[in-house]
Each structure stands twice: as structure tokens, then as C-alpha cells.
Amino acid sequence: ESNFYKLFALLSEQVGSMTNINELAGTLNLRHETIKEYITILQKCFHIEFIKPYYSNLRKELTKMPKGYLSDLGMRNGLLEDFSHVKKRADKGALLENYVFLRLMEKYGNRIHHWKLSDGKEIDFVITRGTRPDQAFEVKFNGNRFNRYKYKKFTDYYENVKLDCISYAG
């Protein structure tokens, strides 16, 4: 397998996670610049897309790393060699989050961000209007696992932003 393919497969495993170029370079034993070049090719071929973090208070809302998603879930399944039913998959949460990303992209385009605090609290998707957050979505495969209190820091800080949970209903 080529290093390019290995990177593509690794990014497929990590959809919905922060993309750390240094970590990818170390894992694949490749130069930082090579990883960046490969990612640029994947982006230009529309295989992968990244969303940037949203922050208004840089000291509290720390992370600057983007989250990556694949543009084609069939390709993701092929790279991971897993075509089993979504309910039987270990990666069903990531698969659903990637699917939701694709649907949100159709509606909101580059207005999609993610949000994460230095203490690990995070929101999967924050939709902005202008420079302010307008709506937020947390994706949970099982909607019963959505606990609004867990997102209190976000809802306290952004009182006027509606937070919804998107879950699997099939």
C-alpha cells in the first residue's frame, strides 16, 4: 500500500475527530510537508473536507485544529473494508456524524464549524450567521445519551443559540 492510501484510510477512521498533522506524520513516519501535500490533493479531489473551530474567546475555546469528514461514505466504507449494517458497526457514531455533516453542508456550506473547550467539552457542529453562532447540533447515535447539562458551558455562553441533538432513528 502506498503512503497516500494509508493516509486516506487513516483519515477515514478518524472522521469527526481533530486532524493533527504532526500526529499523522508520526503515525505514518512521513514528513509533515508530505502529509500536508497529500491532504491538499484529497481536498482538491473533493474526497475530504475540513471544518474549522468556532471561537469567540480564544483563551477558553482553545483548539484550532480542524475536524475532517469524507465526502463519500461509500468510499469510506471501502477504505475501512466494512459494509455491515450501521447498527452492527463499532464506528456507527462516526458514520452518523459524517452523514450529518454531508447533509449540513448541503444547507449551510462554509458556515459549519465545531466547538471545543480546553477542558474537552465540545459541540459537533456550530452554524454561524456572520461572525456569531446561530444554531448548534450534537450528533448521538442513541438520542437517549444526549444530556443537555453536559453542554451547559456552551448554552450559558451562547444563550441565544439553539442546541439540538441529531440521532439515528432507524
PDB file of all heavy atoms in Angstrom, residues 57-63 115-122 153:
ATOM      1  N   ASN A  57     -13.824  33.400  22.296  1.00  0.00           N
ATOM      2  CA  ASN A  57     -12.916  33.627  23.403  1.00  0.00           C
ATOM      3  C   ASN A  57     -11.773  32.629  23.267  1.00  0.00           C
ATOM      4  O   ASN A  57     -11.882  31.490  23.686  1.00  0.00           O
ATOM      5  CB  ASN A  57     -13.640  33.443  24.739  1.00  0.00           C
ATOM      6  CG  ASN A  57     -12.728  33.713  25.930  1.00  0.00           C
ATOM      7  OD1 ASN A  57     -11.509  33.625  25.828  1.00  0.00           O
ATOM      8  ND2 ASN A  57     -13.334  34.034  27.050  1.00  0.00           N
ATOM      9  N   LEU A  58     -10.697  33.060  22.656  1.00  0.00           N
ATOM     10  CA  LEU A  58      -9.601  32.163  22.320  1.00  0.00           C
ATOM     11  C   LEU A  58      -8.966  31.500  23.538  1.00  0.00           C
ATOM     12  O   LEU A  58      -8.472  30.392  23.454  1.00  0.00           O
ATOM     13  CB  LEU A  58      -8.542  32.921  21.516  1.00  0.00           C
ATOM     14  CG  LEU A  58      -7.485  32.095  20.816  1.00  0.00           C
ATOM     15  CD1 LEU A  58      -8.125  31.008  19.956  1.00  0.00           C
ATOM     16  CD2 LEU A  58      -6.621  32.983  19.956  1.00  0.00           C
ATOM     17  N   ARG A  59      -8.988  32.146  24.695  1.00  0.00           N
ATOM     18  CA  ARG A  59      -8.370  31.546  25.867  1.00  0.00           C
ATOM     19  C   ARG A  59      -9.154  30.337  26.371  1.00  0.00           C
ATOM     20  O   ARG A  59      -8.589  29.369  26.828  1.00  0.00           O
ATOM     21  CB  ARG A  59      -8.236  32.566  26.994  1.00  0.00           C
ATOM     22  CG  ARG A  59      -7.105  33.530  26.728  1.00  0.00           C
ATOM     23  CD  ARG A  59      -6.544  34.015  28.000  1.00  0.00           C
ATOM     24  NE  ARG A  59      -7.181  35.262  28.409  1.00  0.00           N
ATOM     25  CZ  ARG A  59      -6.769  35.965  29.426  1.00  0.00           C
ATOM     26  NH1 ARG A  59      -5.767  35.558  30.140  1.00  0.00           N
ATOM     27  NH2 ARG A  59      -7.360  37.070  29.744  1.00  0.00           N
ATOM     28  N   LYS A  60     -10.482  30.400  26.292  1.00  0.00           N
ATOM     29  CA  LYS A  60     -11.313  29.299  26.771  1.00  0.00           C
ATOM     30  C   LYS A  60     -11.587  28.287  25.674  1.00  0.00           C
ATOM     31  O   LYS A  60     -11.600  27.094  25.912  1.00  0.00           O
ATOM     32  CB  LYS A  60     -12.633  29.839  27.326  1.00  0.00           C
ATOM     33  CG  LYS A  60     -12.484  30.589  28.607  1.00  0.00           C
ATOM     34  CD  LYS A  60     -13.828  31.014  29.129  1.00  0.00           C
ATOM     35  CE  LYS A  60     -13.682  31.800  30.420  1.00  0.00           C
ATOM     36  NZ  LYS A  60     -14.955  32.298  30.907  1.00  0.00           N
ATOM     37  N   GLU A  61     -11.859  28.773  24.485  1.00  0.00           N
ATOM     38  CA  GLU A  61     -12.195  27.910  23.364  1.00  0.00           C
ATOM     39  C   GLU A  61     -10.916  27.659  22.590  1.00  0.00           C
ATOM     40  O   GLU A  61     -10.606  28.317  21.621  1.00  0.00           O
ATOM     41  CB  GLU A  61     -13.276  28.575  22.509  1.00  0.00           C
ATOM     42  CG  GLU A  61     -14.539  28.787  23.295  1.00  0.00           C
ATOM     43  CD  GLU A  61     -15.454  29.820  22.695  1.00  0.00           C
ATOM     44  OE1 GLU A  61     -14.976  30.765  22.059  1.00  0.00           O
ATOM     45  OE2 GLU A  61     -16.657  29.682  22.873  1.00  0.00           O
ATOM     46  N   LEU A  62     -10.166  26.691  23.060  1.00  0.00           N
ATOM     47  CA  LEU A  62      -8.759  26.574  22.754  1.00  0.00           C
ATOM     48  C   LEU A  62      -8.401  25.979  21.403  1.00  0.00           C
ATOM     49  O   LEU A  62      -7.571  26.513  20.694  1.00  0.00           O
ATOM     50  CB  LEU A  62      -8.105  25.735  23.863  1.00  0.00           C
ATOM     51  CG  LEU A  62      -6.600  25.609  23.819  1.00  0.00           C
ATOM     52  CD1 LEU A  62      -5.957  26.956  24.044  1.00  0.00           C
ATOM     53  CD2 LEU A  62      -6.144  24.639  24.877  1.00  0.00           C
ATOM     54  N   THR A  63      -9.004  24.889  21.045  1.00  0.00           N
ATOM     55  CA  THR A  63      -8.488  24.137  19.912  1.00  0.00           C
ATOM     56  C   THR A  63      -8.590  24.903  18.598  1.00  0.00           C
ATOM     57  O   THR A  63      -9.562  25.580  18.339  1.00  0.00           O
ATOM     58  CB  THR A  63      -9.174  22.764  19.787  1.00  0.00           C
ATOM     59  OG1 THR A  63      -8.504  22.047  18.753  1.00  0.00           O
ATOM     60  CG2 THR A  63     -10.632  22.888  19.449  1.00  0.00           C
ATOM     61  N   TRP A 115     -16.905  23.212  17.920  1.00  0.00           N
ATOM     62  CA  TRP A 115     -16.571  23.998  19.109  1.00  0.00           C
ATOM     63  C   TRP A 115     -15.996  23.070  20.161  1.00  0.00           C
ATOM     64  O   TRP A 115     -16.540  21.987  20.393  1.00  0.00           O
ATOM     65  CB  TRP A 115     -17.846  24.673  19.609  1.00  0.00           C
ATOM     66  CG  TRP A 115     -17.710  25.538  20.810  1.00  0.00           C
ATOM     67  CD1 TRP A 115     -17.329  26.845  20.849  1.00  0.00           C
ATOM     68  CD2 TRP A 115     -18.011  25.176  22.165  1.00  0.00           C
ATOM     69  NE1 TRP A 115     -17.363  27.312  22.137  1.00  0.00           N
ATOM     70  CE2 TRP A 115     -17.790  26.307  22.968  1.00  0.00           C
ATOM     71  CE3 TRP A 115     -18.439  23.997  22.770  1.00  0.00           C
ATOM     72  CZ2 TRP A 115     -17.975  26.304  24.340  1.00  0.00           C
ATOM     73  CZ3 TRP A 115     -18.625  23.991  24.146  1.00  0.00           C
ATOM     74  CH2 TRP A 115     -18.396  25.142  24.907  1.00  0.00           C
ATOM     75  N   LYS A 116     -14.895  23.485  20.761  1.00  0.00           N
ATOM     76  CA  LYS A 116     -14.297  22.666  21.813  1.00  0.00           C
ATOM     77  C   LYS A 116     -13.576  23.555  22.812  1.00  0.00           C
ATOM     78  O   LYS A 116     -12.840  24.460  22.432  1.00  0.00           O
ATOM     79  CB  LYS A 116     -13.311  21.651  21.220  1.00  0.00           C
ATOM     80  CG  LYS A 116     -12.767  20.693  22.255  1.00  0.00           C
ATOM     81  CD  LYS A 116     -11.996  19.565  21.621  1.00  0.00           C
ATOM     82  CE  LYS A 116     -11.542  18.593  22.683  1.00  0.00           C
ATOM     83  NZ  LYS A 116     -10.865  17.437  22.087  1.00  0.00           N
ATOM     84  N   LEU A 117     -13.788  23.268  24.086  1.00  0.00           N
ATOM     85  CA  LEU A 117     -13.095  23.978  25.149  1.00  0.00           C
ATOM     86  C   LEU A 117     -11.816  23.243  25.530  1.00  0.00           C
ATOM     87  O   LEU A 117     -11.662  22.052  25.232  1.00  0.00           O
ATOM     88  CB  LEU A 117     -13.982  24.076  26.400  1.00  0.00           C
ATOM     89  CG  LEU A 117     -15.194  24.983  26.321  1.00  0.00           C
ATOM     90  CD1 LEU A 117     -15.980  24.911  27.623  1.00  0.00           C
ATOM     91  CD2 LEU A 117     -14.783  26.414  26.049  1.00  0.00           C
ATOM     92  N   SER A 118     -10.948  23.942  26.224  1.00  0.00           N
ATOM     93  CA  SER A 118      -9.699  23.332  26.664  1.00  0.00           C
ATOM     94  C   SER A 118      -9.938  22.182  27.644  1.00  0.00           C
ATOM     95  O   SER A 118      -9.104  21.305  27.774  1.00  0.00           O
ATOM     96  CB  SER A 118      -8.787  24.381  27.299  1.00  0.00           C
ATOM     97  OG  SER A 118      -9.463  25.041  28.356  1.00  0.00           O
ATOM     98  N   ASP A 119     -11.096  22.163  28.309  1.00  0.00           N
ATOM     99  CA  ASP A 119     -11.393  21.074  29.246  1.00  0.00           C
ATOM    100  C   ASP A 119     -12.043  19.861  28.564  1.00  0.00           C
ATOM    101  O   ASP A 119     -12.456  18.922  29.220  1.00  0.00           O
ATOM    102  CB  ASP A 119     -12.266  21.568  30.400  1.00  0.00           C
ATOM    103  CG  ASP A 119     -13.673  21.964  29.977  1.00  0.00           C
ATOM    104  OD1 ASP A 119     -14.032  21.811  28.783  1.00  0.00           O
ATOM    105  OD2 ASP A 119     -14.428  22.435  30.846  1.00  0.00           O
ATOM    106  N   GLY A 120     -12.137  19.905  27.235  1.00  0.00           N
ATOM    107  CA  GLY A 120     -12.656  18.753  26.500  1.00  0.00           C
ATOM    108  C   GLY A 120     -14.126  18.841  26.117  1.00  0.00           C
ATOM    109  O   GLY A 120     -14.617  18.040  25.333  1.00  0.00           O
ATOM    110  N   LYS A 121     -14.865  19.791  26.670  1.00  0.00           N
ATOM    111  CA  LYS A 121     -16.270  19.957  26.294  1.00  0.00           C
ATOM    112  C   LYS A 121     -16.333  20.354  24.825  1.00  0.00           C
ATOM    113  O   LYS A 121     -15.547  21.178  24.367  1.00  0.00           O
ATOM    114  CB  LYS A 121     -16.939  21.031  27.147  1.00  0.00           C
ATOM    115  CG  LYS A 121     -16.906  20.766  28.629  1.00  0.00           C
ATOM    116  CD  LYS A 121     -18.056  19.911  29.068  1.00  0.00           C
ATOM    117  CE  LYS A 121     -18.207  19.848  30.558  1.00  0.00           C
ATOM    118  NZ  LYS A 121     -17.479  18.802  31.206  1.00  0.00           N
ATOM    119  N   GLU A 122     -17.289  19.751  24.080  1.00  0.00           N
ATOM    120  CA  GLU A 122     -17.358  20.060  22.657  1.00  0.00           C
ATOM    121  C   GLU A 122     -18.768  19.943  22.109  1.00  0.00           C
ATOM    122  O   GLU A 122     -19.629  19.298  22.697  1.00  0.00           O
ATOM    123  CB  GLU A 122     -16.415  19.171  21.859  1.00  0.00           C
ATOM    124  CG  GLU A 122     -16.721  17.695  21.940  1.00  0.00           C
ATOM    125  CD  GLU A 122     -15.698  16.863  21.178  1.00  0.00           C
ATOM    126  OE1 GLU A 122     -15.410  17.184  20.012  1.00  0.00           O
ATOM    127  OE2 GLU A 122     -15.201  15.889  21.762  1.00  0.00           O
ATOM    128  N   LYS A 153     -21.877  24.757  29.541  1.00  0.00           N
ATOM    129  CA  LYS A 153     -20.923  25.847  29.289  1.00  0.00           C
ATOM    130  C   LYS A 153     -21.227  26.530  27.955  1.00  0.00           C
ATOM    131  O   LYS A 153     -21.175  27.742  27.844  1.00  0.00           O
ATOM    132  CB  LYS A 153     -19.484  25.338  29.304  1.00  0.00           C
ATOM    133  CG  LYS A 153     -18.971  25.059  30.692  1.00  0.00           C
ATOM    134  CD  LYS A 153     -17.495  24.733  30.677  1.00  0.00           C
ATOM    135  CE  LYS A 153     -17.006  24.496  32.086  1.00  0.00           C
ATOM    136  NZ  LYS A 153     -15.579  24.205  32.136  1.00  0.00           N
TER     137      LYS A 153
END
